[in-house]
Structure formats: C-alpha cells, structure tokens
Amino acid sequence: MADPVKVALLGCGTVGSEVARLLTEQADELAARAGAPVELAGIAVRRPDKHPELPQHLLTSDAESLVLSDVDVVVELIGGIEPVRGWLLSALHKGKSVVTANKALLAECSAELSEAADSAGADLYFEAAVAGAIPLLRPLRESLAGDRITKVMGIVNGTTNYILSAMDTTGSGYAETLEEASRLGYAEADPTADIDGYDAASKAAILASLAFHTRVTAADVHREGIGAIGAADIEAAKALGRTVKLLAICERVVDGEGGESVSARVYPAMIPRTHQLAGVGGAFNAVYVEADAAGELMFFGQGAGGAPTASAVLGDLVAVARNRVVGGRGPRESAHAALPIRPMGMTPTRYHISLDVADKPGVLAQVALVFAEHDVSIAAVRQRDSDSTASLVIVTHAAADSALQATVNHIAELDVVREVISVMRVEGEDS
Ligand code: NDP
Ligand code: HSE
C-alpha cells in the first residue's frame, strides 16, 4: 500500500461531521479502495470549543495554517466565497487537490480555481455541490463527454422542494416548513439562498458549464425564487392537474440561423402531476438530461442532508486519493465551446395566467386581443363564473419570455381585469 494521503477537513458542521465520521468508521475500506490510507490530518472549525465530540488533537480554528501544512488534499465544507476562495487557491497553487461541496464558490470562481488546479497539476472535484448524493456531475463530465447534451432540467434544491411539497400535499404554511427544513440540515446557513433561488442558480451555472462546455456563472442564470408562491398559486396549479416545482433549466437553444446559445434559468413552474418530476417530494432532487445519442436520462436521489452529501464528498476523496497513488489526474475544466448566454427575454417559455375579470360580454375578446398584439398564441382557456366575476385561466404556447411578460403587464392594465391572481411558467409538456 502507498503512503497515506493526508486530508485537511475545513468545516465540520452538517456535512463535515458526516465526512469525519465515515472517514473514521470506514478507514480500512477506504484505504483498500484508494490504494492508500486516507488520513484525517486536521479539522478546522470556527469554534473548536463547541466540538467536544471530535478528536481534540486534530482541531484548529486556523484553517489557513492547516491548508498550508503538510497535507495532500483539502476538503472544504465551510461554504461561502471568502475567505474560502483564498485558501483553496493557495492549496491548489501548492499542488494540493481540493474536494468541495461549495456551489456558491464554484458558480462564481470556477474559472480561477480550475486554472490554478491545471497549472499545478492538482485535482478539483465537486460532485457534492449539485444534487447532494446523486452522481450527476461525473456522468456529465465523463460518461457523456462523447455525446451532445441539449437540455438539463430538474429539481436541485432540497429545501424549496421540501416546502413546495408540503404546501401541495398538506397545505402547511411556508414559515413552519422552512423551520423544519433548517432543523433537518437541508437549508443553507442563510436560508434566503434557498428560498430566493440563489442556491439553485449556482447549481444551474455548474450544470450548464459542464453540459455545454462553456463557462457559465451564477450571474448568467436568470433567477426567481419561491418567496412569492402562495396558496392561490398552488390551488391554481391543482385545478389544472399541475403542481409547482422550483426548476433549474439549462438548455442549448438553436436559433433560426443555426446559431447556438445557452439558456440557464431557475424559477418556480407548473408541471403536470403526471410528469416524473411531480412525484419528487421532500428534500429529494431529480434531474433530466437530454443528449443527442443517449436520449433521455434521469437522475434521482437525496439532494441534501449530512450523510447523503458526505457520500458524494467521500466518492470524490477516494477518486483524488487514487489519482495521487497512480500519479494521474481527474478531468480538467472543459470550456472550449464558449457559447454565448441567451438573455431570459429571448428565451422561449410558456405561461399560465389566472385572472379575475368582469363577467360581461366582450371581456374574453379584449383579453385575447392583448395576446394577439404581443404575438403570443393561446393554447387553452378555461372560465369559471361566480356572481359578477369570472375567473379566467389562460395557458399560452411558447413565446419569447419578454413578449409574455409584456402581455401580462398589458392585461393587468385592462379595466375589465379585476385582479391577476397567478402568473407562472409552465414546463414539462408539449408547447
Ligand atoms: P454548516 O453550517 O453546518 O457547517 C459549516 C462548518 O464550517 C462549521 O463546522 C463551522 O464551524 C465551519 N466554519 C465556518 N466558518 C469557518 C471558518 N472561518 N474557519 C473554519 N471553519 C469555519 O454547513 P453545511 O455542512 O450544511 O454546508 C457546508 C458546505 O456544503 C456549504 O458549502 C454548503 O452549501 C454545502 N452543501 C450542504 C449541503 C447540506 O445538505 N447541508 C448539501 C450540499 C452541499 P463551527 O462548527 O465551529 O460553527
Ligand atoms: N441547501 C441545499 C438544498 C443543500 O436545500 O438543496 C444541498 O445543496
């Protein structure tokens, strides 16, 4: 057996504590699989005195010194951009490999981290950064490297899926469900990252970068969270046999002249209750991948939580250790396609619009005229009457998102429209 691979663990919270536990409990198995003992050389936390359960001789609050000490691999499970970015760059520049679950960092600084890894011949692995336990990034990076991926769409945030599932099934309130998701260790340290879609947008950036061989950052991803979703939206979806999910969608869009661009977006959308993503409840994640030769693939599993995420981290750690033992490297960044990013306004989407309108002759015609003026085609209309008000539900065909937005704004100004009850995009069905 080769010399031990010495590991610095940065962060020992929800995920880090599970990584430390599994590293200790499965030391012999991991050594056999890696071809060398995988040895925990130090653990950096913010408050060492709060961790009586950990081996005290390994604990430090000085992460920087630990990174620069005689370790081979840095496993980063702290989160956020700074000071972690600087520590990981130092590690990579010194040829130490890095394993991280930090999607926020990768979605912003992937290019410089990859360049540092490449220039020093070190590994940068981050399977746990997207969809927790689900092996997804390695299939995109390696298994599908010979195919042409056209779309990646899925549920990549466990916290919001937990909340939306509860709202749909039990009618539970938003605040109590978020509290439960935090207690279970799914939510980020600042849960607005989950609720406002930042976490999913970071993951979409990572997925789009890998799928389309293009550098996509979080700033390139159109982002909407679930903060504005209320019981009325959930009910409107149910009435039409749909459910609401926060989706990350990464698409290769081909225009009329054959020019390609990348659309990366995160928003809550209605999907048919018969769609496979509709049955994905709780903190589970599921991601569809469409590729020219492979066709449709689906990845499903636990998308958040300590042990599931630790599984992905340890998988990376074994891969990195194996590379060290044989003297090789894992895959480098692949950004050769450098496709342009398609602005959200130019991206084709479909809308579900629910309105309260005056119940009198000519109203439907006035509303329909607005759609025609914006060149938006209507796919279905449903009307339900009560006293002097009618509730109108309209589902459109695909149109440029900016045209759909303009249509909604215009409709809201009509005198005959009493209230726009719910506006949401529709995904997962033919346009
Ligand atoms: P936690 O908040 O549970 O743990 C963070 C850890 O980092 C704590 O041990 C904390 O120390 C330590 N820490 C914070 N600041 C410093 C610092 N300056 N120096 C040294 N240590 C520090 O986070 P999670 O385990 O939930 O998440 C960790 C990472 O994994 C994040 O990037 C997150 O996005 C990602 N992730 C999380 C998932 C989950 O389900 N929780 C799933 C997938 C990815 P102390 O304990 O003393 O406070
Ligand atoms: N907060 C994240 C989620 C953790 O809820 O999905 C997993 O990345």
Coordinates of all heavy atoms in Angstrom, one line a residue, residues 48-139:
P48 N -13.7 25.7 18.0 CA -13.3 24.4 18.4 C -13.9 24.0 19.7 O -14.2 22.8 19.9 CB -11.7 24.5 18.5 CG -11.4 25.7 17.6 CD -12.5 26.6 17.7
D49 N -14.1 24.9 20.6 CA -14.7 24.5 22.0 C -16.1 24.0 21.9 O -16.6 23.3 22.8 CB -14.7 25.8 22.9 CG -15.4 27.0 22.2 OD1 -15.1 27.3 21.1 OD2 -16.3 27.5 22.9
K50 N -16.8 24.2 20.7 CA -18.1 23.6 20.5 C -18.1 22.2 20.0 O -19.2 21.7 19.6 CB -18.9 24.5 19.5 CG -19.1 26.0 20.0 CD -20.3 26.1 20.9 CE -20.4 27.6 21.3 NZ -20.9 27.8 22.6
H51 N -16.9 21.6 19.9 CA -16.8 20.3 19.3 C -16.1 19.3 20.2 O -15.1 18.7 19.8 CB -16.1 20.4 17.9 CG -16.9 21.2 16.9 ND1 -17.9 20.6 16.1 CD2 -16.8 22.5 16.5 CE1 -18.4 21.5 15.3 NE2 -17.8 22.7 15.5
P52 N -16.7 19.0 21.3 CA -16.1 18.0 22.2 C -16.1 16.6 21.7 O -15.3 15.7 22.1 CB -16.9 18.1 23.5 CG -18.3 18.6 23.0 CD -18.0 19.5 21.9
E53 N -17.0 16.4 20.7 CA -17.1 15.0 20.1 C -15.9 14.7 19.1 O -15.7 13.5 18.8 CB -18.4 14.9 19.3 CG -18.6 15.6 18.0 CD -18.6 17.1 17.9 OE1 -18.5 17.7 19.0 OE2 -18.7 17.7 16.8
L54 N -15.2 15.7 18.7 CA -14.1 15.5 17.7 C -12.8 15.2 18.4 O -12.6 15.7 19.5 CB -14.0 16.7 16.8 CG -15.2 16.9 15.9 CD1 -15.1 18.2 15.1 CD2 -15.5 15.8 14.9
P55 N -11.9 14.5 17.7 CA -10.5 14.3 18.3 C -9.9 15.6 18.5 O -9.6 16.3 17.5 CB -9.8 13.4 17.3 CG -10.8 13.0 16.2 CD -12.1 13.8 16.4
Q56 N -9.6 16.0 19.8 CA -9.2 17.4 20.1 C -7.8 17.7 19.5 O -7.6 18.9 19.1 CB -9.1 17.6 21.6 CG -10.5 17.5 22.3 CD -11.5 18.5 21.7 OE1 -11.3 19.7 21.9 NE2 -12.6 18.1 21.1
H57 N -6.9 16.7 19.3 CA -5.6 17.0 18.8 C -5.7 17.4 17.3 O -4.7 17.9 16.7 CB -4.7 15.8 19.0 CG -5.1 14.6 18.2 ND1 -6.1 13.8 18.5 CD2 -4.5 14.0 17.1 CE1 -6.2 12.8 17.6 NE2 -5.3 12.9 16.7
L58 N -6.8 17.1 16.6 CA -6.9 17.4 15.2 C -7.6 18.8 15.0 O -7.5 19.4 13.9 CB -7.8 16.4 14.5 CG -7.2 15.0 14.4 CD1 -8.2 14.1 13.6 CD2 -5.9 15.0 13.7
L59 N -8.2 19.3 16.0 CA -9.0 20.6 15.9 C -8.2 21.8 15.8 O -7.2 22.0 16.6 CB -10.0 20.7 17.0 CG -11.3 20.0 16.9 CD1 -12.2 20.3 18.1 CD2 -12.0 20.4 15.6
T60 N -8.6 22.8 15.0 CA -8.0 24.1 14.9 C -9.0 25.1 14.4 O -10.0 24.7 13.8 CB -6.7 24.1 14.0 OG1 -6.3 25.5 13.9 CG2 -7.1 23.7 12.6
S61 N -8.8 26.3 14.8 CA -9.6 27.4 14.2 C -8.9 28.1 13.1 O -9.4 29.0 12.5 CB -10.1 28.4 15.3 OG -8.9 29.0 15.9
D62 N -7.6 27.7 12.9 CA -6.8 28.3 11.9 C -6.7 27.5 10.6 O -5.8 26.8 10.3 CB -5.3 28.5 12.5 CG -4.4 29.3 11.6 OD1 -4.9 29.6 10.5 OD2 -3.3 29.5 12.0
A63 N -7.8 27.7 9.8 CA -7.9 27.0 8.6 C -6.7 27.2 7.6 O -6.3 26.3 7.0 CB -9.2 27.3 7.9
E64 N -6.3 28.5 7.6 CA -5.2 28.8 6.6 C -4.0 28.0 6.9 O -3.3 27.5 6.0 CB -5.0 30.3 6.7 CG -4.0 30.8 5.6 CD -4.0 32.3 5.4 OE1 -4.5 33.0 6.3 OE2 -3.5 32.7 4.4
S65 N -3.6 28.0 8.2 CA -2.3 27.2 8.5 C -2.5 25.7 8.2 O -1.6 25.1 7.8 CB -2.0 27.4 10.0 OG -1.7 28.7 10.2
L66 N -3.7 25.2 8.4 CA -4.0 23.8 8.2 C -3.8 23.5 6.7 O -3.2 22.5 6.2 CB -5.4 23.4 8.6 CG -5.8 22.0 8.4 CD1 -4.8 21.0 9.0 CD2 -7.2 21.7 8.9
V67 N -4.4 24.4 5.8 CA -4.3 24.3 4.4 C -2.8 24.3 3.9 O -2.4 23.5 3.0 CB -5.1 25.4 3.7 CG1 -4.7 25.5 2.2 CG2 -6.5 25.2 3.9
L68 N -2.0 25.1 4.6 CA -0.6 25.3 4.1 C 0.3 24.2 4.8 O 1.5 24.2 4.5 CB -0.1 26.7 4.4 CG -0.9 27.8 3.7 CD1 -0.4 29.2 4.1 CD2 -0.7 27.6 2.2
S69 N -0.2 23.4 5.7 CA 0.6 22.4 6.4 C 0.8 21.2 5.4 O 0.4 21.3 4.2 CB -0.1 21.9 7.6 OG -1.2 21.2 7.3
D70 N 1.4 20.2 5.9 CA 1.9 19.1 5.1 C 0.7 18.2 4.8 O 0.6 17.0 5.2 CB 3.0 18.3 5.9 CG 3.4 17.1 5.2 OD1 3.4 17.1 3.9 OD2 3.8 16.1 5.9
V71 N -0.3 18.7 4.1 CA -1.5 17.8 3.7 C -1.5 17.7 2.2 O -1.0 18.5 1.4 CB -2.8 18.4 4.2 CG1 -2.9 18.4 5.7 CG2 -3.1 19.8 3.6
D72 N -2.1 16.6 1.7 CA -2.2 16.4 0.2 C -3.5 16.8 -0.4 O -3.6 17.2 -1.5 CB -2.1 14.9 0.0 CG -0.8 14.3 0.6 OD1 0.3 14.7 0.2 OD2 -0.9 13.4 1.5
V73 N -4.6 16.8 0.4 CA -5.9 17.1 -0.1 C -6.6 18.0 0.9 O -6.6 17.8 2.1 CB -6.8 15.8 -0.2 CG1 -8.1 16.1 -0.8 CG2 -6.0 14.8 -1.1
V74 N -7.3 19.0 0.4 CA -8.2 19.9 1.2 C -9.6 19.6 0.9 O -10.0 19.7 -0.3 CB -7.8 21.3 1.0 CG1 -8.8 22.3 1.7 CG2 -6.4 21.6 1.4
V75 N -10.4 19.2 1.9 CA -11.8 19.0 1.7 C -12.5 20.2 2.3 O -12.5 20.4 3.6 CB -12.3 17.7 2.4 CG1 -13.8 17.5 2.3 CG2 -11.6 16.5 1.7
E76 N -13.2 21.0 1.5 CA -13.8 22.3 2.0 C -15.3 22.1 2.2 O -16.0 21.9 1.2 CB -13.4 23.4 1.0 CG -13.9 24.8 1.5 CD -15.3 25.1 1.1 OE1 -15.6 25.0 0.0 OE2 -16.1 25.5 2.0
L77 N -15.7 22.2 3.5 CA -17.2 22.1 3.8 C -17.6 23.2 4.7 O -18.2 23.0 5.7 CB -17.5 20.7 4.4 CG -17.1 19.6 3.4 CD1 -17.1 18.2 4.1 CD2 -18.1 19.6 2.2
I78 N -17.1 24.4 4.4 CA -17.5 25.6 5.2 C -18.6 26.4 4.4 O -19.6 26.6 5.0 CB -16.2 26.5 5.4 CG1 -15.2 25.8 6.3 CG2 -16.7 27.9 6.0 CD1 -14.0 26.6 6.5
G79 N -18.4 26.7 3.2 CA -19.3 27.4 2.4 C -19.0 28.9 2.2 O -18.1 29.4 2.9
G80 N -19.7 29.5 1.3 CA -19.4 31.0 1.0 C -18.2 31.2 0.2 O -17.5 30.3 -0.2
I81 N -18.0 32.5 -0.2 CA -16.9 32.8 -1.1 C -15.6 33.1 -0.3 O -14.6 32.3 -0.4 CB -17.2 34.0 -2.0 CG1 -18.6 33.8 -2.6 CG2 -16.2 34.3 -3.0 CD1 -18.7 32.8 -3.7
E82 N -15.6 34.2 0.4 CA -14.3 34.5 1.2 C -14.5 34.1 2.7 O -15.7 34.2 3.2 CB -14.0 36.0 1.1 CG -13.6 36.4 -0.4 CD -12.3 35.8 -0.9 OE1 -11.6 35.1 -0.1 OE2 -12.0 36.0 -2.0
P83 N -13.5 33.7 3.4 CA -12.1 33.5 3.0 C -11.8 32.2 2.3 O -10.6 32.0 1.9 CB -11.4 33.6 4.4 CG -12.4 33.0 5.3 CD -13.8 33.3 4.8
V84 N -12.8 31.4 2.0 CA -12.5 30.1 1.5 C -11.8 30.1 0.1 O -10.9 29.3 -0.1 CB -13.9 29.3 1.4 CG1 -13.8 28.1 0.5 CG2 -14.4 29.0 2.8
R85 N -12.2 31.0 -0.7 CA -11.6 31.1 -2.1 C -10.1 31.2 -2.0 O -9.4 30.5 -2.7 CB -12.2 32.3 -2.8 CG -11.6 32.7 -4.1 CD -12.1 34.0 -4.7 NE -11.2 34.6 -5.5 CZ -10.2 35.4 -5.1 NH1 -10.1 35.7 -3.9 NH2 -9.3 35.9 -6.0
G86 N -9.6 32.1 -1.1 CA -8.2 32.4 -1.0 C -7.5 31.1 -0.5 O -6.4 30.7 -1.0
W87 N -8.1 30.4 0.5 CA -7.5 29.2 1.0 C -7.4 28.1 -0.1 O -6.3 27.5 -0.2 CB -8.3 28.7 2.2 CG -8.3 29.6 3.4 CD1 -7.5 30.6 3.7 CD2 -9.4 29.6 4.4 NE1 -7.8 31.2 4.8 CE2 -9.0 30.6 5.3 CE3 -10.5 28.9 4.6 CZ2 -9.8 30.9 6.4 CZ3 -11.3 29.1 5.8 CH2 -10.9 30.1 6.6
L88 N -8.5 28.0 -0.9 CA -8.4 26.9 -1.9 C -7.5 27.2 -3.0 O -6.8 26.3 -3.5 CB -9.9 26.6 -2.4 CG -10.9 26.1 -1.4 CD1 -12.1 25.6 -2.0 CD2 -10.3 25.0 -0.5
L89 N -7.4 28.5 -3.3 CA -6.4 28.9 -4.4 C -5.0 28.6 -3.9 O -4.2 28.1 -4.7 CB -6.6 30.4 -4.8 CG -7.8 30.7 -5.7 CD1 -7.9 32.2 -5.8 CD2 -7.6 30.0 -7.1
S90 N -4.7 28.9 -2.6 CA -3.4 28.7 -2.1 C -3.1 27.2 -2.1 O -2.0 26.7 -2.5 CB -3.2 29.1 -0.6 OG -3.6 30.4 -0.5
A91 N -4.1 26.4 -1.8 CA -3.9 24.9 -1.7 C -3.6 24.4 -3.2 O -2.6 23.7 -3.4 CB -5.1 24.2 -1.2
L92 N -4.4 24.8 -4.1 CA -4.2 24.4 -5.5 C -2.9 24.8 -6.1 O -2.2 24.0 -6.7 CB -5.4 24.9 -6.4 CG -6.8 24.2 -6.1 CD1 -7.9 25.0 -6.7 CD2 -6.8 22.8 -6.6
H93 N -2.5 26.1 -5.8 CA -1.2 26.6 -6.3 C -0.1 25.7 -5.8 O 1.0 25.6 -6.4 CB -1.0 28.0 -6.0 CG -1.8 29.0 -6.8 ND1 -1.8 28.9 -8.2 CD2 -2.7 30.0 -6.5 CE1 -2.6 29.9 -8.7 NE2 -3.2 30.5 -7.7
K94 N -0.3 25.2 -4.6 CA 0.8 24.3 -4.0 C 0.7 22.9 -4.4 O 1.4 22.0 -3.9 CB 0.8 24.4 -2.5 CG 1.2 25.8 -2.0 CD 1.5 25.8 -0.5 CE 2.1 27.1 0.0 NZ 3.3 27.6 -0.8
G95 N -0.2 22.6 -5.3 CA -0.4 21.2 -5.9 C -1.2 20.3 -5.0 O -1.3 19.1 -5.2
K96 N -1.9 20.9 -4.0 CA -2.8 20.1 -3.2 C -4.1 20.0 -3.9 O -4.6 21.0 -4.5 CB -3.0 20.7 -1.8 CG -1.7 20.8 -1.0 CD -1.9 21.7 0.2 CE -0.6 22.3 0.7 NZ 0.2 21.3 1.5
S97 N -4.7 18.8 -3.9 CA -6.0 18.6 -4.5 C -7.1 19.1 -3.6 O -7.0 19.2 -2.4 CB -6.3 17.2 -4.9 OG -5.3 16.8 -5.9
V98 N -8.2 19.5 -4.3 CA -9.4 20.1 -3.5 C -10.6 19.3 -3.8 O -10.9 19.1 -5.0 CB -9.5 21.6 -3.9 CG1 -10.9 22.1 -3.4 CG2 -8.4 22.4 -3.3
V99 N -11.4 19.0 -2.8 CA -12.7 18.5 -2.9 C -13.6 19.5 -2.2 O -13.4 19.8 -1.0 CB -12.8 17.1 -2.2 CG1 -14.3 16.6 -2.2 CG2 -11.9 16.1 -2.9
T100 N -14.7 19.9 -2.8 CA -15.6 20.9 -2.2 C -17.0 20.6 -2.6 O -17.3 20.1 -3.6 CB -15.2 22.3 -2.5 OG1 -16.1 23.2 -1.9 CG2 -15.1 22.6 -4.0
A101 N -17.9 21.0 -1.6 CA -19.4 21.0 -1.9 C -19.9 22.4 -2.1 O -21.2 22.6 -2.1 CB -20.1 20.3 -0.7
N102 N -19.0 23.3 -2.3 CA -19.4 24.7 -2.2 C -19.8 25.3 -3.6 O -19.1 25.8 -4.3 CB -18.2 25.5 -1.7 CG -18.5 26.9 -1.3 OD1 -19.4 27.5 -1.8 ND2 -17.6 27.5 -0.5
K103 N -21.2 25.1 -3.8 CA -21.7 25.6 -5.1 C -21.6 27.1 -5.3 O -21.4 27.6 -6.4 CB -23.1 25.1 -5.3 CG -24.1 25.4 -4.2 CD -24.2 24.2 -3.3 CE -24.9 24.6 -2.0 NZ -25.6 23.5 -1.4
A104 N -21.8 27.8 -4.2 CA -21.7 29.3 -4.3 C -20.4 29.7 -4.9 O -20.2 30.6 -5.8 CB -22.0 29.9 -3.0
L105 N -19.3 29.1 -4.3 CA -17.9 29.4 -4.7 C -17.7 29.0 -6.2 O -17.1 29.8 -7.0 CB -17.0 28.8 -3.8 CG -15.5 28.9 -4.1 CD1 -15.0 30.3 -3.9 CD2 -14.6 27.9 -3.3
L106 N -18.1 27.8 -6.5 CA -17.8 27.3 -7.8 C -18.6 28.1 -8.9 O -18.0 28.3 -10.0 CB -18.3 25.8 -7.9 CG -17.4 24.8 -7.1 CD1 -18.1 23.5 -6.8 CD2 -16.1 24.6 -7.9
A107 N -19.8 28.5 -8.6 CA -20.6 29.2 -9.6 C -20.0 30.6 -9.8 O -20.3 31.3 -10.8 CB -22.0 29.3 -9.1
E108 N -19.1 31.1 -8.9 CA -18.6 32.4 -9.1 C -17.1 32.3 -9.6 O -16.6 33.1 -10.4 CB -18.7 33.2 -7.8 CG -18.7 34.7 -8.1 CD -19.2 35.5 -6.9 OE1 -20.4 35.3 -6.6 OE2 -18.5 36.2 -6.3
C109 N -16.4 31.4 -9.0 CA -14.9 31.4 -9.2 C -14.4 30.1 -9.8 O -13.2 29.8 -9.7 CB -14.2 31.5 -7.8 SG -14.9 32.8 -6.8
S110 N -15.2 29.4 -10.5 CA -14.8 28.1 -11.1 C -13.6 28.3 -12.0 O -12.7 27.4 -12.0 CB -16.0 27.5 -11.8 OG -15.6 26.3 -12.4
A111 N -13.6 29.3 -12.8 CA -12.5 29.5 -13.8 C -11.2 29.7 -13.1 O -10.2 29.0 -13.5 CB -12.8 30.8 -14.7
E112 N -11.1 30.5 -12.1 CA -9.7 30.7 -11.5 C -9.3 29.5 -10.7 O -8.1 29.1 -10.6 CB -9.7 32.0 -10.7 CG -10.6 32.1 -9.5 CD -10.3 33.4 -8.7 OE1 -9.2 33.9 -8.7 OE2 -11.3 33.8 -8.0
L113 N -10.3 28.8 -10.1 CA -10.0 27.6 -9.3 C -9.5 26.5 -10.3 O -8.5 25.8 -10.1 CB -11.2 27.0 -8.6 CG -11.6 27.9 -7.4 CD1 -13.0 27.5 -6.9 CD2 -10.6 27.8 -6.2
S114 N -10.2 26.4 -11.5 CA -9.7 25.4 -12.4 C -8.4 25.7 -13.0 O -7.5 24.8 -13.2 CB -10.7 25.3 -13.6 OG -12.0 24.9 -13.1
E115 N -8.1 27.0 -13.3 CA -6.8 27.4 -13.8 C -5.7 27.1 -12.8 O -4.6 26.6 -13.2 CB -6.8 28.8 -14.2 CG -7.5 29.0 -15.6 CD -7.9 30.5 -15.9 OE1 -7.5 31.4 -15.1 OE2 -8.7 30.6 -16.8
A116 N -6.0 27.4 -11.5 CA -5.0 27.1 -10.5 C -4.7 25.6 -10.4 O -3.6 25.1 -10.3 CB -5.5 27.6 -9.2
A117 N -5.8 24.8 -10.5 CA -5.6 23.3 -10.5 C -4.8 22.8 -11.7 O -3.9 22.0 -11.5 CB -7.0 22.6 -10.5
D118 N -5.1 23.4 -12.9 CA -4.4 22.9 -14.1 C -3.0 23.3 -14.0 O -2.1 22.5 -14.4 CB -5.1 23.6 -15.3 CG -6.5 22.9 -15.6 OD1 -6.8 21.9 -15.0 OD2 -7.2 23.5 -16.4
S119 N -2.7 24.5 -13.6 CA -1.3 25.0 -13.6 C -0.4 24.2 -12.7 O 0.8 24.0 -12.9 CB -1.2 26.5 -13.4 OG -1.6 26.8 -12.1
A120 N -1.0 23.7 -11.6 CA -0.2 22.9 -10.6 C -0.4 21.4 -10.8 O 0.2 20.6 -10.0 CB -0.6 23.3 -9.2
G121 N -1.3 21.0 -11.7 CA -1.5 19.6 -11.9 C -2.2 18.9 -10.7 O -2.1 17.7 -10.4
A122 N -3.1 19.7 -10.1 CA -3.9 19.2 -9.0 C -5.3 18.9 -9.4 O -5.7 19.3 -10.5 CB -3.9 20.2 -7.8
D123 N -6.0 18.2 -8.6 CA -7.4 17.8 -8.9 C -8.4 18.8 -8.2 O -8.1 19.3 -7.1 CB -7.7 16.4 -8.3 CG -7.4 15.3 -9.3 OD1 -7.4 15.6 -10.5 OD2 -7.1 14.2 -8.8
L124 N -9.5 19.1 -8.9 CA -10.6 19.9 -8.3 C -11.9 19.1 -8.5 O -12.3 18.9 -9.7 CB -10.7 21.2 -9.0 CG -11.8 22.1 -8.6 CD1 -11.8 22.5 -7.1 CD2 -11.8 23.4 -9.4
Y125 N -12.4 18.5 -7.5 CA -13.6 17.7 -7.6 C -14.7 18.3 -6.7 O -14.5 18.8 -5.7 CB -13.3 16.3 -7.0 CG -12.7 15.3 -8.0 CD1 -11.5 15.5 -8.5 CD2 -13.4 14.1 -8.4 CE1 -10.9 14.6 -9.4 CE2 -12.9 13.2 -9.3 CZ -11.6 13.5 -9.8 OH -11.1 12.6 -10.7
F126 N -16.0 18.2 -7.3 CA -17.1 18.9 -6.6 C -18.4 18.2 -6.8 O -19.4 18.9 -6.9 CB -17.1 20.4 -7.0 CG -17.0 20.6 -8.5 CD1 -18.1 20.7 -9.3 CD2 -15.7 20.7 -9.1 CE1 -17.9 20.9 -10.7 CE2 -15.6 20.9 -10.4 CZ -16.7 21.0 -11.2
E127 N -18.4 16.9 -6.8 CA -19.7 16.2 -7.0 C -20.8 16.6 -6.1 O -22.0 16.7 -6.4 CB -19.4 14.7 -6.9 CG -20.6 13.8 -7.2 CD -21.1 13.9 -8.6 OE1 -20.4 13.5 -9.5 OE2 -22.3 14.3 -8.8
A128 N -20.5 16.9 -4.8 CA -21.5 17.1 -3.8 C -22.1 18.5 -4.0 O -23.1 18.8 -3.3 CB -20.9 17.0 -2.4
A129 N -21.5 19.3 -4.8 CA -22.0 20.7 -5.0 C -23.4 20.8 -5.6 O -24.1 21.8 -5.5 CB -21.0 21.6 -5.8
V130 N -23.8 19.8 -6.4 CA -25.1 19.8 -7.1 C -25.8 18.5 -6.8 O -25.2 17.4 -7.0 CB -24.9 19.9 -8.6 CG1 -26.3 20.0 -9.3 CG2 -24.1 21.2 -8.9
A131 N -27.0 18.6 -6.2 CA -27.9 17.4 -6.0 C -27.4 16.4 -5.0 O -27.6 15.2 -5.2 CB -28.2 16.8 -7.4
G132 N -26.7 16.9 -4.0 CA -26.3 16.0 -2.8 C -25.7 14.7 -3.2 O -24.6 14.6 -3.8
A133 N -26.4 13.6 -2.9 CA -25.8 12.3 -3.0 C -25.8 11.8 -4.5 O -25.2 10.8 -4.8 CB -26.6 11.3 -2.2
I134 N -26.6 12.5 -5.4 CA -26.8 11.9 -6.7 C -25.5 12.1 -7.6 O -25.0 13.2 -7.7 CB -28.0 12.7 -7.4 CG1 -29.2 12.7 -6.5 CG2 -28.3 12.0 -8.8 CD1 -30.3 13.5 -7.1
P135 N -25.0 10.9 -8.1 CA -23.9 11.1 -9.0 C -24.4 11.7 -10.3 O -25.2 11.1 -11.1 CB -23.5 9.6 -9.3 CG -24.2 8.8 -8.3 CD -25.5 9.6 -7.9
L136 N -24.1 13.0 -10.5 CA -24.6 13.7 -11.6 C -23.5 14.4 -12.4 O -23.5 14.4 -13.6 CB -25.7 14.7 -11.1 CG -26.3 15.7 -12.1 CD1 -27.0 15.0 -13.2 CD2 -27.2 16.7 -11.4
L137 N -22.6 15.0 -11.6 CA -21.6 15.8 -12.3 C -20.6 14.9 -13.0 O -20.1 15.2 -14.1 CB -20.8 16.7 -11.3 CG -21.7 17.7 -10.5 CD1 -20.9 18.7 -9.8 CD2 -22.7 18.4 -11.5
R138 N -20.3 13.8 -12.4 CA -19.3 12.8 -13.1 C -19.9 12.3 -14.3 O -19.2 12.3 -15.4 CB -18.9 11.7 -12.1 CG -17.6 11.1 -12.5 CD -16.9 10.4 -11.4 NE -16.5 11.3 -10.3 CZ -16.4 11.0 -9.0 NH1 -16.5 9.7 -8.7 NH2 -16.1 11.9 -8.1
P139 N -21.2 11.9 -14.4 CA -21.8 11.5 -15.6 C -21.7 12.6 -16.7 O -21.4 12.4 -17.9 CB -23.2 11.2 -15.3 CG -23.2 10.7 -13.9 CD -22.1 11.5 -13.2

